[in-house]
Amino acid sequence: MKDFETLGLVPDLLTSLSEAGLETPTPIQAKAIPLALSGRDVMGLAQTGTGKTLAFGLPLIQQLTGTGRPRPKTVKALVLAPTRELVNQIADNLRVHTKGTKLKVSTVVGGQSINRQVAMLERGADILVATPGRLIDLMDRGAVDLSTARYLVLDEADQMLDMGFIHALRRIAPELGTPRQTMLFSATMPSQMDELSRAYLDDPVRVQVTPPGKAADKVTQEVHFVEQSDKPAKLREILDSEPGALTLVFARTKHGAERLMKGLVADGYDAASIHGNKSQGQRDRAIAAFRQGTVPILVATDVAARGIDIPGVAFVVNYDLPNVPEAYVHRIGRTARAGREGTAVAFCSSEETGLLRDIEKVMKIEIPVASGEMFKGPLQRPKMGGGKRGGGRPQGQKPKGQKPRGAAPKGPSKSAKRPQQRHRVRRRAA
């Protein structure tokens, strides 16, 4: 395995990497960094949690160092990401390695004061990390000039396609300066990605370190066949199997996520939620509490699938299976990060059998069955919106364990082997 010194990085960056405890590049970093430093357009494909941010971030920092201060309202490099959480995560990672330099990393996202962002951009930015929607708002106000930007990075480009940001990209890209270097990074390879690369990259080098749609090697996956009405009890059974473990629970809708979180809190669990109806401040506080472990259960919609980089997440629970199969890959990528192990648990109701088969087709695997049986009959898919039963507390039900049947593997599942302890907090006396 190469080390960072062989990749052509300058001594200041090598020092910052060492201080951050990073000595050996990940496969995507080892392949992408030399190409990016040479000026080539890069199309990088790698699973989540493999260090894609530094694969483009380190070359950007090195190439921008010593280029002088940006003029008012101008930008030298633009990084686009689909969610607020991911924008903040990218900026935080870049700032670790711009300490001691004059480079300024700025962010613009929705849900925050646009007037403050206008004032911030008056001073210009070396690297601007942005969500497409808010960036266009600022462009419409004449608050930012992209004509001086010579670097463009599209991070998690597949999710930007899923979220409809292709139209925003068509508006933004022509405003950047030319010639420019463009880098595109993604964990999956939907059919539109080739079209995207042809439109915005110039003779790109494709760097792929894992097959698109493949999960991290240390993620243990399992599926429980359980009807929607029985999911609350099954979730509590999983939570009680390892009290205190950081657990990220994915729901399909905003209302379903909020209802599920409130049901857990009513039953004495420490839980928080993040979704599109939450303000940026609320989302930031929930993620901070989850990161610190003071709130070990975080219920989220897919807004969090690519914006949480917390190595200690032990469980990812797909309470509702995603409508887009690639989203499953990103969800479970929130565990088994930084070389750790993790467990991805999926609940599949009779309405979701078609979604499960879509996921297995994309991942080219058959997810091991931990309990229940595959529902008979034609494959079904839930209607958009997730139905009325999003997952509140189980109305007077006791958790019901299900013995493996049919296609279930021999022996108990990983979660079943853990001691059955209670994961509840004592309520304070009134």
Side-chain angles (χ1 to χ4, degrees), residues 45-327:
L45 299 172
Q47 62 203 26
T48 57
T50 55
K52 293 193 295 293
T53 300
L54 291 188
F56 65 78
L58 294 175
L60 279 184
I61 294 169
Q62 180 159 317
Q63 293 176 109
L64 291 173
T65 299
T67 58
R69 293 183 180 277
R71 299 196 306 273
K73 298 186 180 181
T74 66
V75 173
K76 295 181 182 179
L78 175 65
V79 181
L80 292 177
T83 67
R84 309 172 198 172
E85 283 74 22
L86 187 54
V87 164
N88 293 332
Q89 174 188 310
I90 292 169
D92 289 344
N93 286 339
L94 294 180
R95 287 173 182 141
V96 169
H97 303 287
T98 57
K99 289 180 180 179
T101 74
K102 295 182 179 180
L103 296 180
K104 182 178 181 181
V105 179
S106 302
T107 62
V108 292
V109 298
Q112 295 184 350
S113 169
I114 194 168
N115 292 327
R116 290 182 183 176
Q117 293 172 354
V118 169
M120 175 269 296
L121 288 171
E122 281 286 347
R123 300 186 293 273
D126 293 287
I127 302 175
L128 179 65
V129 191
T131 52
R134 176 49 61 93
L135 180 60
I136 288 179
D137 291 341
L138 291 162
M139 290 167 58
D140 289 341
R141 290 185 176 219
V144 60
D145 178 6
L146 299 178
S147 65
T148 59
R150 293 293 186 269
Y151 302 92
L152 172 63
V153 178
L154 308 177
D155 195 21
E156 304 293 11
D158 50 351
Q159 190 181 20
M160 282 199 275
L161 290 174
D162 293 342
M163 297 173 70
F165 285 137
I166 184 64
H167 303 293
L169 184 58
R170 289 173 182 151
R171 168 81 186 281
I172 294 167
E175 300 297 320
L176 274 71
T178 54
R180 68 168 182 265
Q181 181 183 26
T182 303
M183 292 180 277
L184 180 154
F185 286 83
S186 178
T188 61
M189 186 67 181
S191 57
Q192 287 179 289
M193 197 65 72
D194 278 334
E195 178 184 346
L196 190 68
S197 66
R198 288 194 299 270
Y200 299 104
L201 280 70
D202 180 20
D203 189 26
V205 180
R206 177 166 168 163
V207 177
Q208 181 174 320
V209 296
T210 53
K214 185 179 184 298
D217 293 335
K218 294 189 177 182
V219 175
T220 299
Q221 299 181 64
E222 60 183 44
V223 61
H224 298 261
F225 290 104
V226 55
E227 284 293 5
Q228 193 73 21
S229 59
D230 294 326
K231 285 184 178 182
K234 177 59 70 174
L235 175 61
R236 286 152 177 78
E237 180 183 321
I238 299 295
L239 296 175
D240 291 342
S241 71
E242 194 166 312
L246 292 188
T247 304
L248 182 56
V249 183
F250 281 102
R252 184 174 297 115
T253 68
K254 295 178 286 188
H255 297 297
E258 190 69 9
R259 185 162 57 245
L260 176 54
M261 180 274 292
K262 289 181 178 179
L264 289 170
V265 171
D267 281 350
Y269 294 85
D270 281 325
S273 66
I274 59 172
H275 49 72
N277 285 348
K278 297 283 188 177
S279 70
Q280 186 61 45
Q282 290 174 318
R283 286 156 67 162
D284 289 344
R285 287 191 292 273
I287 290 176
F290 184 61
R291 184 186 302 275
Q292 295 163 5
T294 55
V295 176
I297 304 167
L298 184 63
V299 185
T301 56
D302 280 314
V303 71
R306 311 198 188 189
I308 296 181
D309 184 11
I310 301 175
V313 175
F315 289 94
V316 168
V317 178
N318 283 277
Y319 188 89
D320 298 312
L321 294 181
N323 291 307
V324 178
E326 287 83 3

